[in-house]
Amino acid sequence: MTLKELSLSQKTELTSACFTDLKSWTLTIENNEVFREQHKIAFDIVRTIYKINESTSIK
């Protein structure tokens, strides 16, 4: 079946589904960016704690 053979309601439904997928994809990408940023912050905190522990440990 080609796009020309679809009824207007089928085309509308298809367009709506595409936009829903696009929105979901965008949210996933944004969530990944947030996760990456949170991971970076957590890693920086752990690295700082490690450096403090390393510099204050008895040798």
Side-chain angles (χ1 to χ4, degrees):
M1 184 176 272
T2 67
L3 203 54
K4 286 181 182 178
E5 297 170 326
L6 296 175
S7 69
L8 180 59
S9 66
Q10 287 173 314
K11 287 177 184 174
T12 304
E13 196 175 310
L14 185 61
T15 305
S16 176
C18 287
F19 275 115
T20 301
D21 284 351
L22 190 60
K23 207 177 346 177
S24 145
W25 247 66
T26 305
L27 283 174
T28 302
I29 291 168
E30 287 171 358
N31 287 342
N32 284 343
E33 289 299 319
V34 168
F35 176 76
R36 192 173 298 130
E37 194 59 33
Q38 288 172 340
H39 183 267
K40 198 170 95 178
I41 291 167
F43 186 73
D44 286 344
I45 291 169
V46 169
R47 189 174 18 190
T48 303
I49 291 170
Y50 177 79
K51 284 179 182 175
I52 291 169
N53 284 344
E54 195 175 58
S55 66
T56 58
S57 67
I58 301 169
K59 296 183 178 178

